[in-house]
Amino acid sequence: MSEEAIYYPTYGEALTAHAAEMPDQIALRFGDRTTDYKTYDRHATQIANGLAAMGLSKGDRIAYFGKNSDRSVELAMGAARAGIVFIPIIWRLSPKEVDFILNDSGAKILFVEPEFAAQLPFEGETIQTDDSFDSWRDGQSDAPVTTEVGAQDALLQLYTSGTTGLPKGVVLSHHNGTNLRPLMKKHNIYWYCAERGETMIFAMPYGHIAGVGTALGAVLGGQELIIHREFDPALMIADTQKYQVAWIFIVPAALGIMLAHPDAANADFSSVKGLTYGASPIPLDMLKEGVERLKCDFAQLYGLTETFGTVISLSPGDHKPENVKGREHVMKSAGQPMPGVEVRILDEDLNPLPAGETGEVAIKSDCVMLGYWNRPEENAKAMIGDGWFRTGDAGMLDEEGYLYIQDRIKDMIISGGENVYPAEVESAVYGHPDIADIAVIGIPDEKWGEAVKAVVVAKPGSGLTEQDVIAYAKDNIAGFKCPKTVDFIDALPRNPSGKILRRELRAPYWEGKERAVN
């Protein structure tokens, strides 16, 4: 059987296969450190045995708090091999948010980068991912792991903010992530399944599915993963040239920053086969500039944490004006379903709507999560039977099967690729003694796609200022979730049942826009 057709039920099995067939191929590159597949495989086994020696067993959970590194990637694979659920936490979250996640998740051990260790209140055992981590890992047995791990076993637990303001743990299985690759190969979705040995840069935050998913996808396909601690436009440009990078995944805001960097003007991007982007649509002018500078294929990816990332894609062909002449509108879509993915548009009673009508986007796929951790009510709302999952996005399917995202039913804001829920921000800010009422909305922003705005009703005679509100928010939630601007009004618009009419608040800022997402 050819490599293209192989289905690896678990990530551990994929790593073992690559280690046996191309042991000397570089798997991980982080700064001056390189790790080949033979060593990567051994390290994953040692980490798995090390976790077992600490008393952990299949189904237990460990957390990681820090930025991207080769150690954090190896840790994920070691946990996967042991059947232990891996919980990477977004490092930009506030201590209060991280504390909630650690308590909710049931993590028994926290692995943390030294620079963050002092700020985390964790009662369990903590291991720092510095040189001492290497010593711990290398001191463990490299005997084969005896724990049986199957395709449907839990692999990841990623926390996504919720409409209630409390983060939810999205539990994903091995199969959620491994099932698509054979289908992608069969249907030549080449921009989503790089070849063995090809190079790709990993620079997106590890606590997101776009981050840890990229790292896991590389081991599934046998690629060389070039790891950046965080997005750095100069480093991305330099490494693309130095290591002849073939594939880049990035959010549009980061692409704009990279293209604007002085080093981009004379950079040699000739090795790049394709650039995939997600989290928000790409502005047409940025797309044109990107294609002109990089001269490679562009593809849009749409998905959610709950679907292990991509389930819809706008192909490279649909990014080329000559291919869509007379139907240029498809360039404004999220794309078409990937092989093995079904999409429906539902009305308020969860009945399917015909093409051309707007409703809630629902997905059916083997990529759909196992469920939310300890959230039975949330699961009942989202998982509606026969494998269908409600995304919370409002969209429309056209006659050709292209999906157009129109709005966000759950009011989510995407700023620079980060998800922000209004209810979470409102809950964090409402405690200010001078705030009588508050609503949070997303408004267009040229650099970040959307920016967070608070609309506040101040208590009479308080003298509350914009800076007061922003400073209070920063004490309670991560900086990227805090309002960038504040408007003061006399009363918030509400419907007869008392619900805030966010759409009415957003309307002036989105006037002239074709959709209420940016």
Side-chain angles (χ1 to χ4, degrees), residues 238-492:
D239 277 1
T240 297
Q241 299 173 99
K242 183 177 181 180
Y243 300 115
Q244 294 292 286
V245 168
W247 298 96
I248 297 172
F249 173 78
I250 204 167
V251 298
L255 174 61
I257 293 170
M258 186 180 83
L259 294 175
H261 194 278
D263 293 351
N266 299 310
D268 178 9
F269 292 116
S270 60
S271 66
V272 180
K273 292 183 176 182
L275 183 146
T276 54
Y277 65 92
S280 63
I282 194 167
L284 190 56
D285 288 344
M286 185 187 296
L287 171 62
K288 290 177 179 177
E289 182 183 2
V291 171
E292 182 179 338
R293 295 276 196 94
L294 274 65
K295 294 181 172 56
C296 69
D297 285 337
F298 275 62
Q300 182 177 178
L301 308 178
Y302 165 86
L304 304 94
T305 304
E306 290 91 338
T307 61
F308 211 108
T310 304
V311 284
I312 307 286
S313 180
L314 187 66
S315 72
D318 284 333
H319 282 76
K320 298 174 181 177
E322 65 270 21
N323 291 346
V324 293
K325 193 171 183 179
R327 45 192 284 279
E328 290 83 357
H329 57 275
V330 302
M331 296 178 71
K332 300 175 183 177
S333 74
Q336 295 175 302
M338 293 289 220
V341 176
E342 297 179 59
V343 178
R344 282 180 181 170
I345 305 299
L346 306 177
D347 64 15
E348 292 182 357
D349 296 320
L350 305 184
N351 297 312
L353 290 168
E357 293 196 29
T358 297
E360 183 174 5
V361 181
I363 303 290
K364 182 178 181 179
S365 166
D366 279 1
C367 299
V368 172
M369 65 176 177
L370 297 177
Y372 295 115
W373 174 248
N374 288 340
R375 297 285 194 280
E377 292 183 3
E378 296 277 4
N379 286 328
K381 292 177 184 176
M383 314 285 277
I384 54 176
D386 196 27
W388 287 97
F389 165 71
R390 297 171 60 183
T391 68
D393 282 345
M396 180 269 290
L397 284 169
D398 68 11
E399 296 287 352
E400 296 182 87
Y402 287 85
L403 175 65
Y404 296 79
I405 302 298
Q406 308 290 344
D407 201 346
R408 297 192 184 88
I409 291 174
K410 296 176 182 176
D411 296 313
M412 186 177 71
I413 302 162
I414 299 183
S415 182
E418 298 277 9
N419 295 344
V420 182
Y421 283 90
E424 183 181 13
V425 184
E426 290 161 1
S427 296
V429 180
Y430 192 77
H432 192 290
D434 293 330
I435 291 179
D437 209 352
I438 182 172
V440 170
I441 59 173
I443 63 173
D445 183 273
E446 288 188 10
K447 183 175 183 180
W448 302 114
E450 292 178 272
V452 180
K453 174 180 278 293
V455 183
V456 170
V457 178
K459 291 182 178 178
S462 66
L464 187 68
T465 68
E466 179 178 64
Q467 289 308 311
D468 292 337
V469 175
I470 294 172
Y472 188 82
K474 288 181 177 178
D475 286 339
N476 291 281
I477 51 175
F480 69 85
K481 299 178 183 180
C482 294
K484 301 300 181 286
T485 57
V486 179
D487 286 351
F488 292 92
I489 61 176
D490 294 332
L492 295 178

Side-chain angles (χ1 to χ4, degrees), residues 132-213:
S132 64
F133 173 84
D134 297 349
S135 299
W136 169 81
R137 177 199 64 207
D138 295 342
Q140 308 304 320
S141 168
D142 60 2
V145 176
T146 57
T147 302
E148 292 187 9
V149 180
Q152 297 299 332
D153 286 329
L155 167 74
L156 296 173
Q157 188 165 308
L158 303 182
Y159 275 80
T160 177
S161 299
T163 53
T164 62
L166 294 176
K168 296 177 294 187
V170 177
V171 183
L172 298 163
S173 71
H174 287 260
H175 183 70
N176 288 154
T178 62
N179 77 91
L180 277 185
R181 185 173 172 85
L183 289 172
M184 299 302 101
K185 284 292 185 182
K186 180 179 179 181
H187 291 85
N188 194 32
I189 312 295
Y190 61 90
W191 60 94
Y192 196 61
C193 49
E195 300 292 339
R196 269 184 170 182
E198 288 188 324
T199 51
M200 61 196 324
I201 289 179
F202 162 39
M204 295 295 99
Y206 202 41
H208 292 270
I209 190 61
V212 69

